[in-house]
Each structure stands twice: as structure tokens, then as C-alpha cells.
Amino acid sequence: MSEKVKFTIDGKEYEGEKGRLLVDVAAENGVYIPVLCHWKDVKPAGSCRICTVKVNDRYMTACTTPIDANMTVENKTPELEDIRKAIVEMLFVEGNHFCPACEKSGDCDLQALGYLYQMMVPRFPYAFERRELDAKSPKIFLEKNRCIFCKRCIRMIKDDKGRSFFAFKGRGKHLEITIDEKLAANISEELAQEAMKICPVGAILRKEVGFSTPIGQRKYDKVPIGSDIEVLQK
Amino acid sequence: MSKPIVATASLAGCFGCHMSLLDIDDRILKLIELVEFNKSPIDDIKTFTKHCDIGLIEGGVCNTENLHVLKDFRNNCKILISVGECAIMGGLPAMRNGISVRECLEEAYINGVTVGENKKKIMPNDEEIPIITDKVYPLHEIVKIDYYLPGCPPRADLLWQAVVALVTGDELNIPYELIKFD
């Protein structure tokens, strides 16, 4: 039997199993903490920092923080919302995110966070780095302009021997996402679809299908990101 | 009291944002009761004839002519608004950013697969033609911009509500569905 602990988020008390990740417990209780790199039940990477919260007055990433008794968590405060907005803006200027030309537009988590925080214009200058599109694998387009380095694909899309289809190459500003050509030559239909689904942006796209959902019916056309979690609020 | 004066321009844009402005449908009759238009493709006034209150600019800056028009707008408008993705972040024309101008022109006029006969390998180089800038710039990286209306194009309702709010001084509460980047 795991121990239950009580903690607070924005002054409201919640209960959860000790040691479980704050972001997951919060979500189950109807408290939305935004994520880009996190995926439930996958080992957290803590790479995007969008889930930054204040735990007992210290900045922590909710996706790597296990809950414990007497934790006081700040989540929806103007300060944290501005930090998160700044992170979204940084991600937008760091890559080349041309929403009007992107197939993921309307279903994109990064874009949806831009909507949530009403990002009218990023406060940082655009980098406009030159990046390539890798179309060599038969089922997947790898659009490096849009990658936000969340590592979801590297951590989750693996073959039956546990080998990743995706990997990072380079360091610092030269870091880029790559796909293993040999492995990807035989990637299954389902796994290719899954890769596109888990990608929070439009960096991984299925070939031969596209723009299948009309504008107005896409995931974030009518409702903000996180509203599926917030309806669970008791 | 005289009506507020509005000017509009399309720089490196597709005129989609102007089309979206026309998409306000019959409210355009209310609009011309509310404001007077000056320099704009809508009334075809080519140069500023008076100082304006609101300038709406679509498209980013991709050449020296765009730069000239943008500075002219800043000098002649009290409030300048970036309208649409291209004005805000360069938009699709900015897809050439990161690629050198020479490489772009060579692809367009010499090496591209759809280029017809160009045996002398001529690239446009007449002094009448504005010079292409090294990259496509968002407006706020060149002049001060007061407000931003995102969208490709910004929804007609967004343009309408924003202009009305500015003119009447009412508070602007934008519904979620109206802020879109596509």
C-alpha cells in the first residue's frame, strides 16, 4: 500500500500517492499544469520547463517533482504564467514555426499554449536558423524547423528490440533531431502514426495523408489546451 | 468632432488580411461611418494627405520599398498595428530567411527546375526595382509597433472588434476563437 499525502496547489488541498509526479496527480485532480515534453507513464525528461511551478517557494518542474506531504505548490500565478509565456515565445523564435503552412496547426500543443497565454508577438528577436526537412524515410517527414527538442519521440518510439527510431545529433545551437534511416525504412503504419501523434509540434508528419481535419474541427480550434483536464476539477 | 483616420498597406503580404477586412461584410457601412480612410489600397489613395490615427499594416519587410512605406506609416500614424502573421513574424515569405539572397535569386532565375530559358543567366538588377533585403523582417524589428493582430488572415471579427475598440475607447475582450496563428 502506498502512502497518501496531502499537499496544496494555489491554496487548495489535494491528496495523492506519495512519490507520484506532481504534474500527473494535478491533472487527475483537474489542475492543468502545461506540458510539452512530458507524457504520462514515460520516464520524465524535464527538458522543456513549461511545467515550471513553485514548490515551497522554489522553482521546480512539475513533471520531475514527486509529491510529498506539506508541499505548497504555486501554479496559476501571474509570475509563473509569464515565465511560461516567455518559454513559449522562446520556443517560437528559436525554431521556424510558420503556423499558416504547418499541417499540425490547430492540433499543435506549442501553438495552443501560444493561444492560451495570448501570445500576440514574442518578446525575443527571431533567430531564423536554417534547418532542413528530412524526407528520406518512407512513412515520415522530419521537419527539423519545428522540433522543440522535447525528446518524446526518442523516448517513446522504439522497435521491438527497444531501439529508438529517433535520436539527437550535435550540441548547443547545432542540436538537431534525426531519424535512423535503416530502422525507419521498416517502421510500421501504427508506429509512424503514433510518432506524429506524440510530437507536440509539427516536426514529425505522416507522409501521404495530411490536412484531414477541416479548420474549425481541430483539437484547439474551439477550446483551449488543458480544458479537458480542468473539467475534472471538483 | 472629425472622424478618426485610418490608413492601410500591404508590404510583403498576399492581401489576404485586406480581404479579411472586407469580410466584415455589411459592417463595412458602419465602418465608414466610424472612420475616414486615407492612404490605403481600399480607396486607392497613394500618398498620405493628412496625419492618420490608425495604421494597419499587413506583410513583413522584404525589400527597400517595404522599408520606405513602413517608415512613412510610422511617421504619419499615431497608432501602428501589425496585422497578420507576415507582419508579426515574417510569415511565409520569411521561409527564405536563413538562405542567402544570392542562393534565392539563383534558384528563382537560374537553377530552379521550373525556370524557362535564361541562357545569359540574368537576374533582376534594374535600379528601378527595390533591393531585396537580406532577410524578411517582422515590422516590430524595424519600427515601434503598438498592437498586434495575429492570424493568417486575422479573423474579420478580430479586425472589426479591434478597430471599433480603438475608435470608441471601449475595452477589447477577445474570445478564444479569434486569436489564431493560421
Side-chain angles (χ1 to χ4, degrees):
Chain A
M1 279 295 283
S2 48
E3 190 190 338
K4 293 264 184 192
V5 289
K6 283 184 174 158
F7 64 102
T8 67
I9 301 177
D10 292 335
K12 212 173 152 191
E13 195 174 72
Y14 296 95
E15 196 183 59
E17 266 173 47
K18 184 180 173 173
R20 286 194 63 219
L21 296 172
L22 173 58
V23 70
D24 293 336
V25 179
E28 285 156 22
N29 283 288
V31 177
Y32 175 62
I33 301 173
V35 291
L36 284 170
C37 68
H38 183 67
W39 195 273
K40 201 175 168 226
D41 300 331
V42 175
K43 194 183 167 197
S47 59
C48 76
R49 324 307 283 184
I50 196 78
C51 66
T52 299
V53 289
K54 258 184 168 178
V55 178
N56 298 339
D57 227 25
R58 285 182 61 188
Y59 296 107
M60 311 279 267
T61 45
C63 74
T64 58
T65 305
I67 58 162
D68 205 344
N70 303 319
M71 260 173 45
T72 307
V73 182
E74 283 174 51
N75 174 39
K76 222 172 177 174
T77 64
E79 185 207 0
L80 286 167
E81 300 272 274
D82 188 57
I83 288 175
R84 290 168 186 168
K85 188 178 182 186
I87 292 171
V88 172
E89 290 171 5
M90 255 189 270
L91 290 170
F92 262 95
V93 300
E94 191 270 343
N96 296 312
H97 298 276
F98 296 101
C99 294
C102 180
E103 200 183 301
K104 199 70 175 269
S105 187
D107 294 315
C108 167
D109 289 354
L110 179 66
Q111 185 192 52
L113 287 171
Y115 296 160
L116 183 72
Y117 297 123
Q118 295 219 323
M119 181 190 90
M120 297 306 211
V121 67
R123 69 195 76 175
F124 310 105
Y126 287 96
F128 290 127
E129 292 286 341
R130 182 171 183 174
R131 299 206 194 136
E132 302 298 330
L133 186 149
D134 183 344
K136 288 196 285 288
S137 54
K139 294 202 177 83
I140 286 172
F141 283 119
L142 195 58
E143 196 9 320
K144 299 183 184 184
N145 286 293
R146 300 172 189 153
C147 180
I148 57 166
F149 311 109
C150 69
K151 280 186 168 177
R152 270 188 191 173
C153 55
I154 299 175
R155 289 178 290 153
M156 294 169 68
I157 306 300
K158 295 180 177 180
D159 70 356
D160 44 17
K161 289 181 185 142
R163 294 176 294 187
S164 289
F165 285 86
F166 299 90
F168 275 166
K169 191 176 101 182
R171 281 185 164 277
K173 71 176 284 210
H174 304 292
L175 185 68
E176 58 178 276
I177 187 76
T178 56
I179 186 163
D180 187 312
E181 267 180 67
K182 278 186 194 159
L183 280 184
N186 300 313
I187 193 168
S188 71
E189 205 60 48
E190 298 74 40
L191 213 51
Q193 195 59 45
E194 179 73 2
M196 178 173 174
K197 196 185 105 189
I198 59 148
C199 181
V201 288
I204 300 172
L205 299 172
R206 272 290 281 121
K207 281 185 178 175
E208 294 168 0
V209 284
F211 299 102
S212 48
T213 318
I215 291 175
Q217 293 172 26
R218 299 168 307 180
K219 205 169 164 191
Y220 303 119
D221 277 341
K222 297 266 171 13
V223 287
I225 188 168
S227 41
D228 54 334
I229 289 173
E230 282 176 348
V231 292
L232 303 171
Q233 185 106 46
K234 284 156 201 147
Chain B
M1 210 177 81
S2 59
K3 289 193 276 190
I5 306 166
V6 176
T8 75
S10 175
L11 307 182
C14 68
F15 268 94
C17 300
H18 275 81
M19 296 308 287
S20 192
L21 182 62
L22 297 180
D23 252 354
I24 61 174
D25 299 330
D26 59 339
R27 284 173 291 184
I28 202 145
L29 299 172
K30 285 185 201 155
L31 185 65
I32 51 171
E33 276 173 27
L34 274 176
V35 300
E36 172 190 333
F37 275 87
N38 199 265
K39 178 180 160 75
S40 168
I42 287 175
D43 56 14
D44 213 21
I45 297 178
K46 308 282 192 201
T47 50
F48 282 104
T49 54
K50 46 179 117 171
H51 206 76
C52 296
D53 297 287
I54 301 167
L56 301 167
I57 300 197
E58 116 179 39
V61 170
C62 81
N63 63 34
T64 47
E65 199 254 347
N66 293 158
L67 193 65
H68 172 80
V69 174
L70 177 61
K71 286 183 173 170
D72 198 24
F73 263 73
R74 185 66 275 183
N75 289 335
N76 283 285
C77 299
K78 269 189 218 157
I79 294 167
L80 204 54
I81 306 177
S82 274
V83 180
E85 285 303 296
C86 299
I88 291 171
M89 58 82 66
L92 300 200
M95 279 180 156
R96 77 165 164 94
N97 292 4
I99 302 170
S100 73
V101 173
R102 171 167 293 276
E103 208 181 324
C104 285
L105 289 174
E106 283 178 351
E107 181 69 17
Y109 293 99
I110 298 171
N111 302 326
V113 287
T114 56
V115 174
E117 209 162 275
N118 185 2
K119 279 181 187 156
K120 287 180 183 169
K121 302 199 169 184
I122 298 168
M123 288 199 281
N125 188 27
D126 193 288
E127 60 182 33
E128 293 279 323
I129 302 173
I131 297 165
I132 288 182
T133 45
D134 62 335
K135 63 175 187 182
V136 178
Y137 290 86
L139 304 185
H140 64 274
E141 291 189 7
I142 294 177
V143 299
K144 183 183 183 299
I145 296 292
D146 302 290
Y147 299 105
Y148 302 84
L149 296 174
C152 184
R155 306 299 182 262
D157 285 331
L158 177 65
L159 291 170
W160 168 252
Q161 289 179 23
V163 171
V164 169
L166 260 182
V167 170
T168 58
D170 291 342
E171 199 181 330
L172 180 60
N173 285 315
I174 311 168
Y176 173 80
E177 294 94 300
L178 289 190
I179 301 287
K180 291 284 175 281
F181 302 156
D182 64 356

PDB file of all heavy atoms in Angstrom, chain A residues 182-195:
ATOM      1  N   LYS A 182      17.831   3.297 -41.503  1.00  0.00           N
ATOM      2  CA  LYS A 182      17.650   1.850 -41.671  1.00  0.00           C
ATOM      3  C   LYS A 182      16.433   1.344 -40.907  1.00  0.00           C
ATOM      4  O   LYS A 182      15.624   0.593 -41.429  1.00  0.00           O
ATOM      5  CB  LYS A 182      18.904   1.112 -41.197  1.00  0.00           C
ATOM      6  CG  LYS A 182      20.006   1.077 -42.238  1.00  0.00           C
ATOM      7  CD  LYS A 182      21.145   0.206 -41.742  1.00  0.00           C
ATOM      8  CE  LYS A 182      22.369   0.433 -42.604  1.00  0.00           C
ATOM      9  NZ  LYS A 182      23.611   0.027 -41.914  1.00  0.00           N
ATOM     10  N   LEU A 183      16.318   1.780 -39.652  1.00  0.00           N
ATOM     11  CA  LEU A 183      15.171   1.351 -38.851  1.00  0.00           C
ATOM     12  C   LEU A 183      13.868   1.897 -39.436  1.00  0.00           C
ATOM     13  O   LEU A 183      12.880   1.189 -39.561  1.00  0.00           O
ATOM     14  CB  LEU A 183      15.316   1.846 -37.410  1.00  0.00           C
ATOM     15  CG  LEU A 183      16.227   1.086 -36.453  1.00  0.00           C
ATOM     16  CD1 LEU A 183      16.119   1.709 -35.070  1.00  0.00           C
ATOM     17  CD2 LEU A 183      15.867  -0.377 -36.404  1.00  0.00           C
ATOM     18  N   ALA A 184      13.914   3.184 -39.822  1.00  0.00           N
ATOM     19  CA  ALA A 184      12.694   3.850 -40.279  1.00  0.00           C
ATOM     20  C   ALA A 184      12.186   3.285 -41.606  1.00  0.00           C
ATOM     21  O   ALA A 184      11.010   3.438 -41.936  1.00  0.00           O
ATOM     22  CB  ALA A 184      12.926   5.351 -40.403  1.00  0.00           C
ATOM     23  N   ALA A 185      13.071   2.617 -42.336  1.00  0.00           N
ATOM     24  CA  ALA A 185      12.650   2.027 -43.619  1.00  0.00           C
ATOM     25  C   ALA A 185      11.539   1.004 -43.398  1.00  0.00           C
ATOM     26  O   ALA A 185      10.705   0.774 -44.274  1.00  0.00           O
ATOM     27  CB  ALA A 185      13.839   1.384 -44.312  1.00  0.00           C
ATOM     28  N   ASN A 186      11.530   0.386 -42.214  1.00  0.00           N
ATOM     29  CA  ASN A 186      10.528  -0.653 -41.942  1.00  0.00           C
ATOM     30  C   ASN A 186       9.558  -0.281 -40.818  1.00  0.00           C
ATOM     31  O   ASN A 186       8.949  -1.166 -40.222  1.00  0.00           O
ATOM     32  CB  ASN A 186      11.239  -1.959 -41.564  1.00  0.00           C
ATOM     33  CG  ASN A 186      12.140  -2.442 -42.682  1.00  0.00           C
ATOM     34  OD1 ASN A 186      11.730  -2.468 -43.840  1.00  0.00           O
ATOM     35  ND2 ASN A 186      13.381  -2.756 -42.338  1.00  0.00           N
ATOM     36  N   ILE A 187       9.451   0.999 -40.525  1.00  0.00           N
ATOM     37  CA  ILE A 187       8.565   1.394 -39.423  1.00  0.00           C
ATOM     38  C   ILE A 187       7.115   1.028 -39.773  1.00  0.00           C
ATOM     39  O   ILE A 187       6.684   1.162 -40.930  1.00  0.00           O
ATOM     40  CB  ILE A 187       8.708   2.902 -39.098  1.00  0.00           C
ATOM     41  CG1 ILE A 187       8.037   3.243 -37.764  1.00  0.00           C
ATOM     42  CG2 ILE A 187       8.170   3.793 -40.215  1.00  0.00           C
ATOM     43  CD1 ILE A 187       8.382   4.628 -37.228  1.00  0.00           C
ATOM     44  N   SER A 188       6.403   0.532 -38.760  1.00  0.00           N
ATOM     45  CA  SER A 188       5.016   0.109 -39.022  1.00  0.00           C
ATOM     46  C   SER A 188       4.104   1.316 -39.161  1.00  0.00           C
ATOM     47  O   SER A 188       4.417   2.409 -38.688  1.00  0.00           O
ATOM     48  CB  SER A 188       4.530  -0.786 -37.886  1.00  0.00           C
ATOM     49  OG  SER A 188       4.343  -0.013 -36.723  1.00  0.00           O
ATOM     50  N   GLU A 189       2.981   1.079 -39.805  1.00  0.00           N
ATOM     51  CA  GLU A 189       1.957   2.102 -40.002  1.00  0.00           C
ATOM     52  C   GLU A 189       1.560   2.728 -38.658  1.00  0.00           C
ATOM     53  O   GLU A 189       1.501   3.941 -38.509  1.00  0.00           O
ATOM     54  CB  GLU A 189       0.749   1.395 -40.629  1.00  0.00           C
ATOM     55  CG  GLU A 189      -0.174   2.244 -41.450  1.00  0.00           C
ATOM     56  CD  GLU A 189       0.511   2.890 -42.641  1.00  0.00           C
ATOM     57  OE1 GLU A 189       1.244   2.217 -43.405  1.00  0.00           O
ATOM     58  OE2 GLU A 189       0.319   4.085 -42.768  1.00  0.00           O
ATOM     59  N   GLU A 190       1.300   1.857 -37.670  1.00  0.00           N
ATOM     60  CA  GLU A 190       0.807   2.311 -36.364  1.00  0.00           C
ATOM     61  C   GLU A 190       1.842   3.177 -35.652  1.00  0.00           C
ATOM     62  O   GLU A 190       1.513   4.198 -35.052  1.00  0.00           O
ATOM     63  CB  GLU A 190       0.445   1.115 -35.458  1.00  0.00           C
ATOM     64  CG  GLU A 190      -0.663   0.220 -35.965  1.00  0.00           C
ATOM     65  CD  GLU A 190      -0.242  -0.682 -37.118  1.00  0.00           C
ATOM     66  OE1 GLU A 190       0.897  -1.205 -37.076  1.00  0.00           O
ATOM     67  OE2 GLU A 190      -1.008  -0.835 -38.080  1.00  0.00           O
ATOM     68  N   LEU A 191       3.108   2.719 -35.725  1.00  0.00           N
ATOM     69  CA  LEU A 191       4.162   3.434 -35.010  1.00  0.00           C
ATOM     70  C   LEU A 191       4.415   4.811 -35.643  1.00  0.00           C
ATOM     71  O   LEU A 191       4.646   5.796 -34.946  1.00  0.00           O
ATOM     72  CB  LEU A 191       5.444   2.597 -35.006  1.00  0.00           C
ATOM     73  CG  LEU A 191       6.337   2.735 -33.779  1.00  0.00           C
ATOM     74  CD1 LEU A 191       5.554   2.534 -32.499  1.00  0.00           C
ATOM     75  CD2 LEU A 191       7.510   1.754 -33.843  1.00  0.00           C
ATOM     76  N   ALA A 192       4.329   4.873 -36.965  1.00  0.00           N
ATOM     77  CA  ALA A 192       4.506   6.153 -37.658  1.00  0.00           C
ATOM     78  C   ALA A 192       3.391   7.111 -37.250  1.00  0.00           C
ATOM     79  O   ALA A 192       3.625   8.296 -36.990  1.00  0.00           O
ATOM     80  CB  ALA A 192       4.503   5.942 -39.162  1.00  0.00           C
ATOM     81  N   GLN A 193       2.186   6.566 -37.160  1.00  0.00           N
ATOM     82  CA  GLN A 193       1.034   7.376 -36.747  1.00  0.00           C
ATOM     83  C   GLN A 193       1.212   7.863 -35.318  1.00  0.00           C
ATOM     84  O   GLN A 193       0.958   9.017 -34.992  1.00  0.00           O
ATOM     85  CB  GLN A 193      -0.242   6.522 -36.872  1.00  0.00           C
ATOM     86  CG  GLN A 193      -1.536   7.289 -36.831  1.00  0.00           C
ATOM     87  CD  GLN A 193      -1.633   8.337 -37.947  1.00  0.00           C
ATOM     88  OE1 GLN A 193      -1.306   8.026 -39.094  1.00  0.00           O
ATOM     89  NE2 GLN A 193      -2.031   9.546 -37.601  1.00  0.00           N
ATOM     90  N   GLU A 194       1.683   6.941 -34.462  1.00  0.00           N
ATOM     91  CA  GLU A 194       1.912   7.257 -33.055  1.00  0.00           C
ATOM     92  C   GLU A 194       2.977   8.362 -32.926  1.00  0.00           C
ATOM     93  O   GLU A 194       2.826   9.278 -32.120  1.00  0.00           O
ATOM     94  CB  GLU A 194       2.374   5.972 -32.326  1.00  0.00           C
ATOM     95  CG  GLU A 194       2.691   6.131 -30.854  1.00  0.00           C
ATOM     96  CD  GLU A 194       1.465   6.304 -29.975  1.00  0.00           C
ATOM     97  OE1 GLU A 194       0.346   6.260 -30.521  1.00  0.00           O
ATOM     98  OE2 GLU A 194       1.634   6.503 -28.758  1.00  0.00           O
ATOM     99  N   ALA A 195       4.021   8.267 -33.740  1.00  0.00           N
ATOM    100  CA  ALA A 195       5.103   9.263 -33.686  1.00  0.00           C
ATOM    101  C   ALA A 195       4.560  10.649 -33.993  1.00  0.00           C
ATOM    102  O   ALA A 195       4.898  11.626 -33.327  1.00  0.00           O
ATOM    103  CB  ALA A 195       6.213   8.893 -34.661  1.00  0.00           C
TER     104      ALA A 195
END
